[in-house]
Amino acid sequence: MGRGTLRIYLGAAPGVGKTYAMLAEAHRRVERGTDCVVALVEHHDRPRTEVMLHGLEQIPRSEIDYRSAVFTEMDVDAVLERAPAVALVDELAHTNVPGSRNAKRWQDVEELLKAGIDVISTVNIQHLESLGDVVESITGVRQQETVPDEVVRRADQIELVDMSPQALRRRMAHGNIYQPDKLDAALSNYFRPGNLTALRELALLWTADRVDEYLQQYRGEHNIRTTWQARERIVVGLTGGPEGRTLIRRASRMAAKGSGSEILAVYIARSDGLTSASPKELAVQRTLVEDVGGTFHHVIGDDIPAALLEFARGVNATQIVLGSSRRKTWQYIYGPGVGATVARESGPDLDVHIVTHEEVAKGRGLPIARGARLGRARIVSGWLVGVAGPVLLSLLLRSLENGPGLANDVLLFLFLTVAAALLGGLRPALASAAVGVMLLNYWFTPPTQTLTVQDPENFVAIVIFFAVAVAVSSVVDLAARRTHQAARLRAESEILSFLAGSVLRGETALDALLERVRETFAMESVALLERASDVDPWTCAGFVGPAPVARPDDADVDMPVGDNMALALSGRVLPAEDRRVLGAFAAQAAVVVDRQRLVSEADRARRLAEGNRIRTALLAAVSHDLRTPLAGIKAAVSSLRSDDVAWSPEDEAELLEGIEDGADRLDHLVGNLLDMSRLQTGTVTPLIREIDLDEVVPMALGGVPEGSVDLDIPETLPMVAVDPGLLERVVANVVENAVKYSPGGEPIAVAASALGERVELRVVDRGRGVPDEAKERIFEPFQRYGDAPRGVGVGLGLAVSRGFAEAMGGTLDAEDTPGGGLTMVLTLTAAPGREPAQDRAVLPAEATP
C-alpha cells in the first residue's frame, strides 16, 4: 500500500474560508463517488461552515479526561479502522490534549498518510514555525501552536485561500466569524488592516517560494535547460564600470512595465582575483540595485559569456541587459566581445538587450602598474642565492670526479637563477644568469679555465642558457609582482568599499572613521585639524589615540583637505603609494564634519521655522479664541455692575455662570498653551512609576458630562509605567475631544486591553470621522478638523496629548471606527513583573491553544 497524498489549504488569516473551501472540496469528491469522511472539523459556531458539514460522514471523536474536564480529539484508531479514501482533518497545527495518541495533530495526519489514506487539511500562515517571531512582531500575539515548515512543504498540493483585509473585516462585521460580543475587540486588536495586510503578504511570498521550488524541481527532474517565461526575470551584466548605473536603471524601467518582474544584477570576476573593476563603483551599483528592488550577485568565472549565460539559465531568466562595449575599434582584434558572444549563444529563450551609454568606445583602460615591495631580507637572500650560489655550486661540481655533464650543469645553474628571481626579484636573477654564464664558460666548457669556447654547440648552449634564464626570471618576477599587486589592490578595495558604504549609509561618526584610519595605517594617533583662514590657528575637530598633534607640520604624515583642513597622523612615515587611500579617508572625514554641521544647522532652522509658525498661530489664536471668552466675561461683568437695570436673581445667576464658563475656557486654553510651550522647549520631564489604569482614567473624566462615557477597564490588566499626571492630561484631552465630536446623546467608549508588553487604551466615538490624509494633521499644533466650530479651542489638545504620550515612551494614533467614527489609540508600556492574564488579549479562535 502506497503513501497517501496530503492537500493543504493555507490561509492568510483566520476567517478567510479555509475550512469552508475544504468542505466544499469534500462535497465535490463525494458527488464523484469518492469515499470521503470528516475525521475532525472545527466550525467554531460559524453557521455557514456548520451547514457545509451536512451530508458528510463524520467519525466520532475520542473523549479524553484531563484535569477534571473532558476534551475531544480526533480518533486516529477509528479513522484507520474505517480506512476511507479521503479524510478531512482541520487545523493541522493543533496541539492535542495530554494523554492523546500523539502530541501534535500533524503527527496524527502522518499516521493516516502512512496507512495510504489521502488527507485534506488546513493551516494558517502564522502557525508556520519559521514565521513565529515575525508574526509576533506584527500582531503582538505569540502563536503557541505551530507546525514545522517541512511538514507543510512536503504536502503534495498547497492551495492559498486569500481575501483582502477590507473584505475580511466586512465579513467579521456581518457576524460570520465571531460572536457580536467579541467583534469590536477583535477588529481593534488582531484584525487591524495593517496586521491583515502583513499576514497576507507573508502568505503570498511563502506560497510563491513554494511554487518556485516546484518549478525548479520539475525542470531538474526533466533536465529542462530552456527558459520558461512564467515570470519576467531580468539579469543585468555588470563590469564594475561607470555604465553599470545606466544598465540598472534601464532594467528597472523594463521591470516596471510588467507586474511581478524581478531584477538580478550579476558581476562576474575571474578566478585569479585580478580585475580592473572599481570596488567603489561596484558598491554604489550594489546599493542602486537594492534601491530598485533587485538583488546583487557575485559569480566567479574565467569565461565571462559562458558564466553569464549559465547564471541566467540557472535562475530561469527571460532577459539579459548588457552595455555596449567600451572597446576601441582596434581592440576587436582580440575577439567579438562579451555582448556579441552572449547574443549569439543565448538561443531563442533568452532576449539580450544591448544598451548604449556614454562610455561606448572610450576604452577600458589598463590598471596602473605597481612595483612589488619586497622586504630587505628577501632582497639580500636573492642576491646571495644569485651571486654566491653559482660560486658554491661550481666548487661543489669541481670537487666531483665525474661531473653530471654540461647539460645537467646548465639545469642546476638555471635552478639557482629561478630561485634568485623568486626571492629577490629580477635584478638578482639577471646577476645570477650573468655569473652562471661566466662560471659555466670558465670551469665546465672545454677548453676549461679559459673564456674561450671551442665547440660551437657549447657556445649555443651557453647562449640559450642565458636567454632562458633571463626569460624565466622575467616571468617569475612578473608573477611575484602581480601576486603582490593583487593582495594590495584587494586590501585597498576593502578599504574603499568601507568608505563607499559609510557614505551611502550616511554614517556621521567622526571618531569611528578616525579610529579606522589609525588601525589601517598602524598609527599612534590621528587628528583632523581645521582653521578658519590661512592666518588663523589650527583647531582640532576630532582625534583618536594619545597625544594628537596641534599642527600639520608636527605630524609624521599630513594629508591636506582643501585649503583649511588637514588629516594629521603620528607614528611613522607612510610610503607614497599609501597616500591615495589616505586621501580617500581624509576626504570622507571632511564630508562627515560638513554633514554634522549641516544636520545641526538644519535642526536649528527647523526649530526656528517651527517657532515662527507657532508664534504666528498663537497670535491668530489670541486674536480670536482668547478674546472671545474675555469679551463674554467683560460683557457679563459690565452688565452686573450696571445701575440702570434691575437684574433678577435668575439673570444674575445666568451672568455669573457665563463668567465662570468663560474663565474655565480661558484656563483650559492657557493650560494647553503652557503645555505646548514646555513640549517645544523640551522641559517636560516625566516621573515614571508603575500604576494601574483604573486609578488614573476615572479621574480624567471629570470634565465631561455624566453618562457620556462607557468605561471598560479590566481589573486583570497589567500595571503601566507612566507619569500619572501626564497620563491624566492625555486621557482628559482625548476624551473631551471625542465627546465634542460624538453625536448628541450617544456615549463614547473607553476600553483598555493588553497586547504582549503593551497596554492599549482606545477612545471610540461614532462621529463623522477623519479622512486618512488628515489623520496625522490633527495632531499638529493649532490644527482643527474642518467641522469644528469656532471658539471651542485653539487646536492644541491632541498635539499636547501626543507630545505627553511620546514623552512617557508611548504613542497616540488615530484609526477609523468600524461602522463610522474615529478611534484614538493610546499605547503604553506595560510595567514588568505582573503578567497579563491569558484571556486578556483577544486572539482568533484558530490561534489559541
Side-chain angles (χ1 to χ4, degrees):
M1 179 181 297
R3 178 182 173 88
T5 61
L6 175 61
R7 177 172 183 171
I8 293 179
Y9 286 92
L10 178 66
V16 295
K18 305 179 304 300
T19 305
Y20 191 94
M22 178 179 67
L23 292 173
E25 174 65 18
H27 279 285
R28 286 192 293 270
R29 297 199 180 197
V30 170
E31 290 174 359
R32 294 196 300 264
T34 304
D35 183 15
C36 183
V37 301
V38 176
L40 187 143
V41 167
E42 299 285 358
H43 55 74
H44 298 294
D45 295 327
R46 297 168 186 171
R48 297 193 177 185
T49 305
E50 189 173 2
V51 168
M52 291 295 292
L53 286 170
H54 298 166
L56 296 177
E57 179 184 350
Q58 300 186 46
I59 304 295
R61 304 185 185 187
S62 63
E63 296 183 351
I64 300 175
D65 293 329
Y66 180 67
R67 293 185 177 178
S68 302
V70 177
F71 298 88
T72 61
E73 295 287 0
M74 180 175 65
D75 193 336
V76 179
D77 291 328
V79 178
L80 293 174
E81 183 179 355
R82 171 65 174 77
V86 179
L88 307 185
V89 182
D90 204 4
E91 298 183 9
L92 187 63
H94 173 76
T95 301
N96 293 329
V97 175
S100 300
R101 183 189 187 98
N102 295 300
K104 304 287 288 187
R105 185 167 291 167
W106 63 264
Q107 295 171 328
D108 296 337
V109 169
E110 281 294 317
E111 287 198 36
L112 301 183
L113 293 173
K114 291 179 180 178
I117 301 174
D118 295 342
V119 176
I120 304 178
S121 187
T122 65
V123 70
N124 282 329
I125 190 67
Q126 66 263 29
H127 294 299
L128 295 180
E129 181 67 42
S130 63
L131 300 178
D133 294 339
V134 178
V135 173
E136 183 179 12
S137 66
I138 294 171
T139 64
V141 177
R142 180 64 180 179
Q143 301 296 330
Q144 302 298 327
E145 296 186 328
T146 59
V147 58
D149 289 45
E150 185 59 28
V151 173
V152 182
R153 288 181 181 275
R154 287 201 305 264
D156 300 277
Q157 298 180 58
I158 297 178
E159 183 171 336
L160 178 64
V161 182
D162 186 29
M163 180 177 289
S164 69
Q166 294 79 9
L168 180 56
R169 286 170 61 86
R170 283 196 301 270
R171 176 182 287 186
M172 294 191 64
H174 294 157
N176 294 334
I177 299 177
Y178 288 124
Q179 298 298 322
D181 59 336
K182 298 181 179 179
L183 180 59
D184 287 340
L187 287 172
S188 301
N189 291 287
Y190 193 90
F191 289 88
R192 298 178 183 176
N195 291 359
L196 297 177
T197 302
L199 293 174
R200 188 186 191 195
E201 183 179 16
L202 284 177
L204 291 171
L205 291 174
W206 194 92
T207 307
D209 289 341
R210 184 67 178 124
V211 171
D212 272 346
E213 290 178 11
Y214 277 132
L215 183 59
Q216 295 297 336
Q217 179 182 352
Y218 181 85
R219 285 166 53 85
E221 292 175 350
H222 293 77
N223 196 26
I224 299 174
R225 301 297 298 165
T226 59
T227 300
W228 284 6
Q229 300 183 0
R231 178 168 61 172
E232 289 291 338
R233 284 190 173 91
I234 304 173
V235 171
V236 184
L238 301 179
T239 65
E243 77 282 0
R245 305 186 200 183
T246 302
L247 303 183
I248 294 169
R249 293 189 179 99
R250 176 61 176 156
S252 176
R253 292 194 296 272
M254 293 168 58
K257 296 179 181 179
S259 177
S261 298
E262 185 178 355
I263 299 175
L264 301 93
V266 57
Y267 170 70
I268 299 176
R270 298 187 182 276
S271 58
D272 56 12
L274 299 176
T275 177
S276 59
S278 168
K280 180 178 180 180
E281 183 63 29
L282 279 178
V284 173
Q285 293 174 14
R286 176 194 291 267
T287 303
L288 179 59
V289 169
E290 294 171 352
D291 288 343
V292 300
T295 56
F296 184 90
H297 304 268
H298 193 114
V299 177
I300 304 297
D302 292 324
D303 188 342
I304 293 179
L308 181 60
L309 289 170
E310 183 69 21
F311 174 83
R313 293 192 175 102
V315 298
N316 200 26
T318 58
Q319 303 180 59
I320 298 178
V321 176
L322 299 174
S324 296
S325 178
R326 286 184 283 147
R327 290 182 174 187
K328 293 182 180 297
T329 303
W330 62 269
Q331 290 178 317
Y332 281 96
I333 62 175
Y334 298 114
V338 174
T341 305
V342 170
R344 184 181 68 246
E345 299 179 0
S346 61
D349 54 340
L350 272 173
D351 296 334
V352 180
H353 303 266
I354 306 296
V355 179
T356 58
H357 50 84
E358 296 180 353
E359 303 297 323
V360 173
K362 291 186 177 181
R364 286 183 172 271
L366 297 174
I368 300 175
R370 302 175 60 89
R373 291 173 53 198
L374 301 176
R376 182 186 299 271
R378 287 191 59 180
I379 294 176
V380 171
S381 299
W383 280 103
L384 288 175
V385 172
V387 176
V391 175
L392 295 176
L393 179 61
S394 298
L395 294 176
L396 177 61
L397 295 176
R398 291 289 297 175
S399 65
L400 300 176
E401 294 183 1
N402 295 319
L406 181 60
N408 292 326
D409 294 340
V410 170
L411 291 176
L412 291 174
F413 277 95
L414 182 60
F415 171 77
L416 291 177
T417 302
V418 173
L422 290 172
L423 290 173
L426 183 60
R427 293 182 180 180
L430 293 178
S432 177
V435 172
V437 166
M438 297 295 295
L439 293 175
L440 281 172
N441 187 10
Y442 188 81
W443 290 108
F444 303 103
T445 306
T448 60
Q449 299 183 8
T450 66
L451 296 177
T452 303
V453 180
Q454 183 176 2
D455 190 347
E457 293 182 0
N458 293 336
F459 178 77
V460 172
I462 291 176
V463 171
I464 292 176
F465 161 75
F466 184 77
V468 171
V470 172
V472 172
S473 301
S474 300
V475 171
V476 172
D477 179 73
L478 179 62
R481 288 175 181 271
R482 289 296 176 87
T483 301
H484 175 77
Q485 291 171 13
R488 180 173 182 82
L489 289 175
R490 183 171 62 252
E492 290 186 2
S493 298
E494 293 176 357
I495 295 172
L496 294 176
S497 296
F498 163 78
L499 287 177
S502 63
V503 172
L504 296 172
R505 292 188 297 270
E507 295 179 355
T508 58
L510 179 61
D511 291 344
L513 181 63
L514 297 180
E515 182 63 29
R516 182 63 183 258
V517 175
R518 190 169 75 93
E519 294 177 355
T520 300
F521 299 103
M523 290 294 179
E524 293 180 0
S525 64
V526 178
L528 183 64
L529 307 177
E530 60 177 346
R531 58 183 178 180
S533 65
D534 294 340
V535 297
D536 290 324
W538 290 95
T539 59
C540 184
F543 72 92
V544 293
V549 298
R551 299 183 309 160
D553 296 338
D554 299 334
D556 294 320
V557 181
D558 69 286
M559 175 58 65
V561 187
D563 296 331
N564 300 313
M565 187 175 289
L567 193 64
L569 294 78
S570 300
R572 66 186 182 92
V573 178
L574 289 180
E577 56 264 35
D578 287 343
R579 294 184 65 86
R580 181 170 67 91
V581 177
L582 181 60
F585 271 112
Q588 173 63 7
V591 169
V592 168
V593 172
D594 291 341
R595 184 184 293 125
Q596 289 176 343
R597 290 173 179 169
L598 288 174
V599 170
S600 178
E601 292 176 3
D603 288 340
R604 285 198 296 271
R606 181 184 57 79
R607 288 195 295 269
L608 288 174
E610 182 70 15
N612 289 333
R613 188 180 69 83
I614 291 178
R615 279 192 289 271
T616 302
L618 180 59
L619 289 175
V622 170
S623 66
H624 185 280
D625 294 288
L626 294 179
R627 293 179 62 186
T628 298
L630 283 174
I633 294 173
K634 173 73 173 174
V637 171
S638 298
S639 299
L640 289 173
R641 297 185 62 186
S642 175
D643 297 332
D644 299 336
V645 180
W647 300 102
S648 66
E650 292 79 6
D651 293 335
E652 290 183 357
E654 184 177 353
L655 291 172
L656 289 173
E657 184 179 359
I659 295 174
E660 185 178 10
D661 290 341
D664 290 340
R665 287 172 57 189
L666 279 177
D667 180 68
H668 183 73
L669 293 174
V670 172
N672 278 335
L673 289 173
L674 292 176
D675 289 339
M676 180 53 60
S677 174
R678 292 169 59 200
L679 289 171
Q680 292 294 328
T681 57
T683 58
V684 176
T685 305
L687 301 177
I688 304 297
R689 66 185 182 90
E690 298 179 4
I691 194 170
D692 285 316
L693 276 182
D694 55 9
E695 297 181 25
V696 179
V697 174
M699 299 173 59
L701 306 182
V704 297
E706 185 176 355
S708 60
V709 177
D710 288 337
L711 189 60
D712 181 16
I713 308 292
E715 295 182 358
T716 55
L717 281 177
M719 301 177 74
V720 292
V722 296
D723 182 316
L726 295 184
L727 178 59
E728 183 178 347
R729 292 296 303 276
V730 172
V731 176
N733 281 341
V734 173
V735 170
E736 290 173 8
N737 188 76
V739 171
K740 179 171 59 179
Y741 289 105
S742 185
E746 185 170 350
I748 66 170
V750 178
S753 61
L755 289 173
E757 298 179 353
R758 299 171 295 165
V759 174
E760 286 188 351
L761 184 70
R762 310 180 73 85
V763 180
V764 183
D765 68 62
R766 297 290 179 177
R768 293 179 54 187
V770 176
D772 291 339
E773 61 272 12
K775 281 188 173 64
E776 284 300 313
R777 204 161 57 244
I778 62 177
F779 291 104
E780 297 178 4
F782 303 103
Q783 297 291 325
R784 298 184 300 181
Y785 189 48
D787 62 350
R790 299 293 295 173
V792 298
V794 294
L796 285 176
L798 293 181
V800 170
S801 298
R802 172 173 275 191
F804 283 172
E806 293 176 350
M808 295 184 293
T811 59
L812 180 62
D813 299 294
E815 295 180 357
D816 290 330
T817 300
L822 188 68
T823 298
M824 289 292 178
V825 183
L826 174 62
T827 304
L828 304 171
T829 303
R834 196 171 86 186
E835 297 294 334
Q838 293 297 324
D839 59 347
R840 195 168 301 138
V842 177
L843 308 178
E846 296 153 339
T848 56

